[in-house]
């Protein structure tokens, strides 16, 4: 999953939370993300473009303090 923006994606199916670990080290949890959206992001050619078009601005989020704990 090479990306210049996204270092890692972790999906919690039970909570429908998509955790994005950015290359910068910042970590955000996006809430109520459907499984299908996560799957589409996983298979997209550009994770950063998908994130900007389909995740940011469409789902509530919170910054995870302490990074990838």
């Amino acid at each position: 999953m090479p990306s210049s923006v996204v270092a890692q994606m972790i999906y919690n199916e039970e909570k429908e939370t998509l955790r994005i670990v950015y290359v910068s080290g910042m970590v955000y949890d996006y809430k109520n993300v459907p499984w299908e959206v996560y799957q589409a992001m996983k298979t997209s050619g550009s994770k950063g473009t998908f994130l900007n078009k389909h995740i940011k601005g469409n789902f509530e989020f919170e910054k995870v303090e302490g990074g990838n704990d």
Side-chain angles (χ1 to χ4, degrees):
M1 186 199 86
S3 171
S4 60
V5 177
V6 178
Q8 188 177 14
M9 301 183 319
I10 305 159
Y11 187 74
N12 182 318
E13 194 171 353
E14 185 178 307
K15 295 181 181 178
E16 290 192 319
T17 299
L18 176 60
R19 175 165 288 185
I20 300 292
V21 180
Y22 289 89
V23 172
S24 68
M26 294 183 11
V27 180
Y28 285 85
D29 283 347
Y30 293 88
K31 312 286 185 176
N32 301 311
V33 176
W35 171 255
E36 296 78 14
V37 173
Y38 166 65
Q39 288 297 315
M41 184 169 178
K42 267 181 54 173
T43 60
S44 71
S46 171
K47 308 301 184 247
T49 299
F50 189 94
L51 182 70
N52 287 328
K53 282 188 175 180
H54 302 286
I55 306 292
K56 288 184 175 181
N58 293 314
F59 297 97
E60 286 186 39
F61 66 90
E62 71 180 21
K63 184 176 182 182
V64 178
E65 296 301 326
N68 200 10
D69 293 340

